[in-house]
Amino acid sequence: MRIDAAGNFRGVYPAAQADAPRLLIGSHLDTVPNAGAYDGVLGVVLAVAMLEELRGRRLPFAIEVIGFSEEEGVRFGAPFIGSRALVGRLDQALLGVVDNQGVSVRKAIEEFGLNPKEISGAVLENDALGYLEFHIEQGPALEKLNLPLAAVEAIAGQSRLELIFLGHANHAGTTPMHLRRDAIAGAAEWIGIVEQMAQEIPGLVATVGKIEAKPGASNVIADEVRLTLDVRQSSDEIRTRAVDNLIRQARAIAARRGLSVRENTLLSQRAVAMDPFLVGEIDKAIVKTGCKPHRMVSGAGHDAMILAEKVPSAMIFLRTPGGISHDPSESVLQDDVEKAIVCGLHLLDQLASSPEFYKRTNCA
Ligand SMILES: [Zn+2]
């Protein structure tokens, strides 16, 4: 077991032969304030439990279990710091990002007793066959379908924007309705359209999660509204078209109401497909476990989307009771965890008996 310079915990279960390539299995060890007990860490514990179940039996490939650091991005506002180190993207800019006490990622690594100059030692070698991640679904889909497990076929892309509607502040009692330039009323009309559009486009989710109005008095018509827009879909084309359409609608509403509107794009992250071969093998392993296979798109981001830049990657979701996560009442069913371990062992056996898998290294 070692801790790399980005604070990732890494342990290797050896293969039958030295110099064999390795399969990576992991998830993250950090979490959010007021969190539950399973987001992230369950995937690491599951990997260790699977290796224990092998009882020393060697496979044609080694297995490296990784507990990633800083996936959630709570402290520095920058997610996936640990996994970005593995793909060579924990660069000087990211090391320079500071928390709200002014402590940089670089300094935090030093204070943890690690050496940020050794970050390059965390980068994956050319012997990685693939990456698997077990994770709770963090949503209600599997519970609704009464299924314990699912294969993740893609991680949704996301757009995050800030919109600012500008109008004219005036007296709430003396300004007739037809002479108002009310930024809140305009923003409200647009928010209704956001919800309606997301309901009409399959697989699209759109959220206005934050709204701020000025001057913010009950007897004053608002002249400024700032709000956020978060749009996600597995197809980048559908997502970007939806965002463009929503911006057009915002401008039309503003024009009709004598308002102006500005938008800033804060994030446009492409969707990441999981590896089709691994997803197919996960389907088979789920069937061997005695469960119905199911594929889904993850609306949340995961380390697997970072690893997928370098190695074939896939995820297995576990049902999340009540769909509740990032809350102390987050839970899993013991029976589902047992099924996930059995499914993982079937998957390892399938991959071990698939020479086209473990001979397919990215070695030069
Ligand atoms: Zn997580």
Side-chain angles (χ1 to χ4, degrees):
M1 223 282 296
R2 70 176 176 123
I3 299 175
D4 69 26
N8 300 310
F9 280 55
R10 303 169 70 161
V12 177
Y13 181 89
Q17 292 180 336
D19 297 332
R22 67 183 68 193
L23 174 67
L24 316 171
I25 310 181
S27 194
H28 60 100
L29 293 171
D30 67 315
T31 189
V32 296
N34 199 35
Y38 301 97
D39 172 11
V41 71
L42 177 71
V44 183
V45 173
L46 254 166
V48 173
M50 276 163 56
L51 298 188
E52 280 178 4
E53 281 302 309
L54 287 176
R55 298 174 205 281
R57 183 160 63 90
R58 299 294 182 219
L59 302 175
F61 44 84
I63 297 172
E64 180 168 6
V65 176
I66 310 177
F68 287 108
S69 67
E70 284 296 316
E71 187 264 357
E72 300 280 4
V74 171
R75 179 169 176 187
F76 297 98
F80 311 119
I81 293 176
S83 49
R84 282 201 255 185
L86 266 73
V87 299
R89 284 212 287 125
L90 179 42
D91 52 15
Q92 294 305 318
L94 186 51
L95 284 169
V97 172
V98 294
D99 67 9
N100 54 19
Q101 311 292 322
V103 178
S104 66
V105 173
R106 184 184 291 104
K107 184 94 182 108
I109 287 172
E110 281 167 0
E111 285 174 353
F112 192 70
L114 298 167
N115 184 353
K117 293 197 176 76
E118 293 169 3
I119 290 288
S120 61
V123 176
L124 288 175
E125 308 271 339
N126 284 330
D127 64 351
L129 290 166
Y131 172 72
L132 294 174
E133 180 167 357
F134 290 84
H135 202 284
I136 56 170
E137 180 203 340
Q138 301 179 285
L142 288 177
E143 186 172 69
K144 276 251 151 52
L145 294 165
N146 197 25
L147 295 175
L149 303 172
V152 176
E153 56 184 351
I155 298 176
Q158 34 179 303
S159 296
R160 294 200 205 174
L161 293 91
E162 178 187 53
L163 273 87
I164 304 152
F165 285 86
L166 296 170
H168 207 290
N170 212 335
H171 196 290
T174 60
T175 314
M177 295 309 290
H178 70 286
L179 292 178
R180 294 177 180 218
R181 292 160 62 195
D182 184 335
I184 287 189
E189 185 183 341
W190 182 74
I191 292 168
I193 287 171
V194 171
E195 188 188 35
Q196 195 190 339
M197 180 186 289
Q199 284 165 344
E200 285 166 3
I201 301 174
L204 189 89
V205 287
T207 308
V208 175
K210 188 175 162 191
I211 177 162
E212 212 175 57
K214 285 181 184 164
S218 62
N219 59 348
V220 182
I221 298 160
D223 65 348
E224 181 182 319
V225 173
R226 281 171 184 266
L227 44 78
T228 58
L229 174 67
D230 178 313
V231 179
R232 305 187 191 204
Q233 225 275 356
S234 56
S235 153
D236 293 320
E237 196 196 328
I238 294 173
R239 171 176 53 86
T240 50
R241 216 188 305 136
V243 170
D244 291 347
N245 196 357
L246 286 171
I247 291 170
R248 263 199 307 280
Q249 301 262 17
R251 289 189 185 136
I253 289 167
R256 180 159 42 74
R257 290 172 168 271
L259 309 171
S260 63
V261 65
R262 284 204 314 263
E263 79 280 343
N264 301 319
T265 301
L266 306 173
L267 176 77
S268 181
Q269 158 85 50
R270 296 183 66 80
V272 177
M274 298 287 95
D275 181 67
F277 170 80
L278 288 176
V279 174
E281 293 300 311
I282 290 169
D283 283 342
K284 287 183 210 162
I286 290 176
V287 171
K288 282 187 191 154
T289 308
C291 305
K292 201 173 147 222
H294 180 67
R295 292 186 177 192
M296 57 188 296
V297 172
S298 173
H302 293 286
D303 290 307
M305 72 197 291
I306 304 298
L307 271 291
E309 294 172 17
K310 281 281 164 75
V311 293
S313 299
M315 294 187 75
I316 297 141
F317 271 175
L318 283 79
R319 160 169 51 194
T320 306
I324 295 165
S325 182
H326 285 187
D327 184 88
S329 62
E330 178 183 280
S331 66
V332 282
L333 302 175
Q334 190 181 328
D335 192 50
D336 290 358
V337 176
E338 284 175 27
K339 285 196 170 78
I341 294 170
V342 172
C343 173
L345 292 167
H346 282 307
L347 184 57
L348 291 183
D349 283 339
Q350 288 164 222
L351 298 178
S353 61
S354 164
E356 64 268 35
F357 170 70
Y358 61 82
K359 285 186 180 147
R360 175 184 78 153
T361 68
N362 50 352
C363 301

